[in-house]
Amino acid sequence: MASVTLEDVRKVYPNNHLAVDGISFSVDDGEFLVLVGPSGCGKSSTLRMLAGLESVTEGNILIEDQMVNDIPSKDRDVAMVFQNYALYPHMTVYNNMAFGLKLRKYPKQEIKERVGQAADILGITDILQRKPKQLSGGQQQRVAVGRAIVRKPKVFLFDEPLSNLDAKLRVQMRTELARLHRQLNATIIYVTHDQTEAMTLGDRIVVMNEGTIQQIDTPVNLYHHPMNLFVAEFIGNPAMNFLSGEITKMDGRWSFVSRDQEFILPINEVQKDIQDGHQVVLGIRPEHLAPSPTATDQLNCGILNAEVIFEEHLGCESYVHAKTNSSTLVARVAGTSHYGNSTQLHFEINHQHSHLFDAMSGQRIIHGHAKK
């Protein structure tokens, strides 16, 4: 396996569309790195430049400290698994997996051994003589991965490989890919728009938007310490709740005051350059909203009044949707909620689990909430 480095990489297409705008990151040997972001954010273009399927407009790509900008795709020693699997319909599973090795003139016995080993790892030994049209979506996905494994490349590249599978198969294949990574100790760069895939598979995650990197971090840190409003909203399901307001000093203590003055939350501290009246956005994860029909005055808690408009019951938990005068909130509660529409609730928020972002730049404002 190998490390991978991107240095100020840009991609501008012939129509002058800027797909990737000067991104830099490194992938350690044996690391599982996920690129995640909305459609059109540049993640697939980045992967295709790594694979050599797209040229680099500016910047450098290095694999194991060797610059590969001008090295053809076939000579980069990387293997890519595509969204549509790209299997040859007229070939058997065995021949699909062996095809790349045959092109490289590997001995027949070595091809047989490599295909057999990959098939055993993926549990597809019994379908080697079938053709793609005789396979389920999950089996086709395994064959596509097997075709990459037999090459024993330095780097595996995955471009949204699970997007064509149903929900149950996606969960199953996420587990299989995680197991495969541990077994092969492979360097993997994986592209997805699905944050659940990113959070469950990645050692680290690169969050992208509009061709730029918003944050690179572990899944846990991305969730608990987003650097800006985009990351805060994109990572997490249900998404983080947001309230607009300002920071003000009340009785010598800093507090967040919502825009319509209906909610006040004490804050431990703010940055030195923050002044009274600074416009901010308060972010609260759904699990940090505690709904109750009666209000309590717990220390260091703000109380937010809202009316229930909808409840989603998922069995082990429920999502309670409620509206204030100016916002709609979602609270995650254990078990089945039974509040009913139009119920007036009091939501308690512990300031240690809140997030503050500058309203203009969207960047996080550090204010002393507890780290996890």
Side-chain angles (χ1 to χ4, degrees), residues 212-231:
T212 64
I213 293 175
Q214 301 295 305
Q215 187 173 348
I216 304 176
D217 218 324
T218 64
V220 171
N221 281 339
L222 280 176
Y223 189 82
H224 291 297
H225 306 291
M227 294 298 296
N228 56 43
L229 278 169
F230 177 82
V231 177

Side-chain angles (χ1 to χ4, degrees), residues 345-357:
L345 294 179
H346 308 280
F347 290 86
E348 297 178 1
I349 304 170
N350 192 309
H351 73 93
Q352 291 185 336
H353 296 291
S354 64
H355 304 261
L356 275 183
F357 305 93

Side-chain angles (χ1 to χ4, degrees), residues 20-32:
V20 180
D21 189 10
I23 66 171
S24 300
F25 63 83
S26 295
V27 188
D28 294 333
D29 186 1
E31 183 177 18
F32 198 131

Side-chain angles (χ1 to χ4, degrees), residues 23-310:
I23 66 171
S24 300
F25 63 83
S26 295
V27 188
D28 294 333
D29 186 1
E31 183 177 18
F32 198 131
L33 186 88
V34 179
L35 305 181
V36 68
S39 297
C41 71
K43 55 188 186 296
S44 288
S45 293
T46 300
L47 201 73
R48 291 178 64 84
M49 285 189 285
L50 276 164
L53 302 176
E54 298 282 357
S55 61
V56 177
T57 305
E58 292 180 20
N60 299 315
I61 296 177
L62 296 90
I63 298 177
E64 221 171 24
D65 297 326
Q66 179 186 13
M67 190 183 300
V68 297
N69 291 34
D70 299 320
I71 295 178
S73 178
K74 64 183 179 65
D75 298 324
R76 292 192 183 190
D77 201 9
V78 301
M80 189 162 178
V81 178
F82 296 91
Q83 179 178 348
N84 62 1
Y85 313 137
L87 301 178
Y88 297 107
H90 63 288
M91 293 185 182
T92 64
V93 168
Y94 180 93
N95 287 329
N96 263 283
M97 292 172 65
F99 185 70
L101 300 180
K102 291 178 180 178
L103 287 180
R104 291 169 173 79
K105 311 293 185 184
Y106 278 80
K108 288 186 177 180
Q109 185 58 34
E110 184 174 354
I111 292 175
K112 183 178 179 180
E113 291 174 358
R114 288 197 181 197
V115 172
Q117 290 170 357
D120 185 57
I121 290 171
L122 294 165
I124 56 174
T125 302
D126 59 336
I127 63 171
L128 288 176
Q129 298 310 312
R130 296 185 193 177
K131 292 185 177 179
K133 66 180 181 180
Q134 299 172 297
L135 306 179
S136 67
Q139 289 171 328
Q140 290 185 49
Q141 200 264 358
R142 284 184 173 88
V143 175
V145 173
R147 187 171 55 187
I149 290 175
V150 297
R151 290 180 51 190
K152 298 182 179 179
K154 291 180 179 178
V155 182
F156 288 90
L157 306 175
F158 288 84
D159 189 8
E160 305 205 36
L162 308 185
S163 60
N164 292 332
L165 303 180
D166 61 40
K168 184 177 180 180
L169 266 179
R170 282 201 300 272
V171 173
Q172 180 181 340
M173 291 311 302
R174 285 204 306 266
T175 303
E176 290 294 316
L177 287 173
R179 179 189 61 79
L180 185 66
H181 176 241
R182 291 193 300 269
Q183 187 169 346
L184 299 178
N185 192 30
T187 302
I188 295 177
I189 302 174
Y190 186 104
V191 160
T192 182
H193 66 274
D194 186 330
Q195 59 158 295
T196 301
E197 286 181 30
M199 296 289 283
T200 55
L201 288 172
D203 296 321
R204 286 188 304 148
I205 299 173
V206 179
V207 183
M208 296 185 65
N209 187 39
E210 297 182 346
T212 64
I213 293 175
Q214 301 295 305
Q215 187 173 348
I216 304 176
D217 218 324
T218 64
V220 171
N221 281 339
L222 280 176
Y223 189 82
H224 291 297
H225 306 291
M227 294 298 296
N228 56 43
L229 278 169
F230 177 82
V231 177
E233 184 173 21
F234 190 82
I235 299 296
N237 186 27
M240 184 180 288
N241 298 290
F242 297 108
L243 294 171
S244 297
E246 64 181 34
I247 294 177
T248 187
K249 218 166 193 178
M250 305 174 65
D251 299 324
R253 185 176 184 182
W254 289 104
S255 295
F256 166 83
V257 180
S258 65
R259 180 169 293 169
D260 54 13
Q261 303 291 312
E262 67 181 10
F263 173 65
I264 298 175
L265 184 71
I267 299 170
N268 281 351
E269 59 182 276
V270 297
Q271 295 172 186
K272 292 181 180 179
D273 58 340
I274 299 298
Q275 297 180 354
D276 194 11
H278 193 95
Q279 298 298 301
V280 296
V281 176
L282 177 73
I284 312 122
R285 293 286 182 198
E287 61 270 26
H288 297 142
L289 281 173
S292 173
T294 58
T296 61
D297 294 322
Q298 294 182 10
L299 185 63
N300 293 332
C301 284
I303 303 298
L304 179 62
N305 299 315
E307 177 184 320
V308 176
I309 56 175
F310 180 58

